[in-house]
Amino acid sequence: MEFRGKTVIVTGAGKGIGREIVRMLVERGAQIVALTRSGADVEALRGEFGCRAIQVDLADADATREAAIAALPADFLINCAGTTELQPFLETTVEAFDRLVAVNTRAPMIVAQEYARSLIKEDRKGAIVNVSSVASFVGIPDHAAYCASKGGLDGLTRVMAKELAPHGIRANGVHPTVTLTPMAVKAWSDPEKAAGMMKRIPVGRFAEPADIAEVVLFLLSDEAAMVNGISMPVDGGYMIA
Ligand code: NDP
């Protein structure tokens, strides 16, 4: 898949899956506008990949909209930024719930609104990939707010797919299983929990960021021109196990 001459907005580009997506897209000729939080990552993205990088806290709705507008124009959008907080359901706090929904659900909506508005105004086609999780399909203990936020994101993906496709903009979701990134270290560092999860993955391993990035790029590309509104697990068979 070639992305030569294409500009792609990637949120959460600083680490993990987002960073691998950036690396792969740059290798395939794309120019990147990265939206991410840490100043050090912004500098690294500029230095290493020649990205246009915008520092933003996606938990802040106004700052997110401002950053999304500053990122335009773009051909494609990948909403990859995400965050988690491990809390049992009975101890899930309103603060954590609101923060996860703000970053994992509301920010993708805001960025996609500005991206789609600009394409529609210019009568151009495009595609959006929202990085969700297998956690939107199943109940994972200690992940109540995370599961809810990703379930909400899936709802948004489906509505975007219906409302934006008539304008030539497709929207799809990608649902990774445990992927070896800083987030996975936070969520799966308990060896007992990790072993239980691994047992349910028929291919017998956790995902690497590149496993996810390849699928994201496929859904973004013209090769997937008839794929719209799907929730694609990238889970080594976890969902059928
Ligand atoms: P990482 O924690 O490794 O990286 C997340 C990236 O998103 C970082 O660059 C981070 O920046 C950025 N980010 C997080 N919060 C904000 C914020 N408030 N404002 C701006 N940027 C922010 O996560 P992964 O790469 O593992 O995850 C990427 C996506 O994949 C997420 O949506 C996640 O939910 C999903 N996913 C991950 C799985 C996994 O096992 N890793 C499994 C299933 C889904 P900073 O570090 O500066 O905050």
Side-chain angles (χ1 to χ4, degrees), residues 166-178:
H167 298 283
I169 304 166
R170 296 178 298 107
N172 289 292
V174 165
H175 298 245
T177 184
V178 175

Side-chain angles (χ1 to χ4, degrees), residues 65-208:
R65 196 171 296 282
E66 209 175 292
I69 291 168
L72 297 168
D75 296 289
F76 298 115
L77 165 63
I78 301 166
N79 278 311
C80 186
T83 188
T84 193
E85 183 88 42
L86 298 197
Q87 292 174 330
F89 171 70
L90 293 177
E91 285 152 40
T92 298
T93 62
V94 167
E95 291 73 21
F97 187 90
D98 286 351
R99 195 165 52 76
L100 264 60
V101 169
V103 175
N104 297 351
T105 320
R106 188 179 67 191
M109 179 195 75
I110 293 170
V111 180
Q113 281 177 330
E114 296 306 331
Y115 162 77
R117 277 180 190 144
S118 101
L119 284 187
I120 293 166
K121 198 167 153 203
E122 293 165 20
D123 199 21
R124 290 168 53 205
K125 295 184 190 314
I128 300 167
V129 174
N130 291 325
V131 180
S132 183
S133 170
V134 291
S136 74
F137 300 135
V138 296
I140 300 182
D142 301 333
H143 284 72
Y146 185 75
C147 289
S149 70
K150 292 295 190 180
L153 178 62
D154 296 356
L156 276 174
T157 302
R158 288 189 283 268
V159 175
M160 284 184 214
K162 281 208 171 164
E163 291 193 8
L164 299 179
H167 298 283
I169 304 166
R170 296 178 298 107
N172 289 292
V174 165
H175 298 245
T177 184
V178 175
T179 307
L180 300 169
T181 68
M183 178 186 279
V185 170
K186 185 171 173 187
W188 299 100
S189 52
D190 174 350
E192 212 173 293
K193 263 193 201 168
M197 184 68 175
M198 178 84 87
K199 245 194 276 170
R200 290 197 48 192
I201 301 177
V203 301
R205 65 173 177 89
F206 290 147
E208 297 289 341

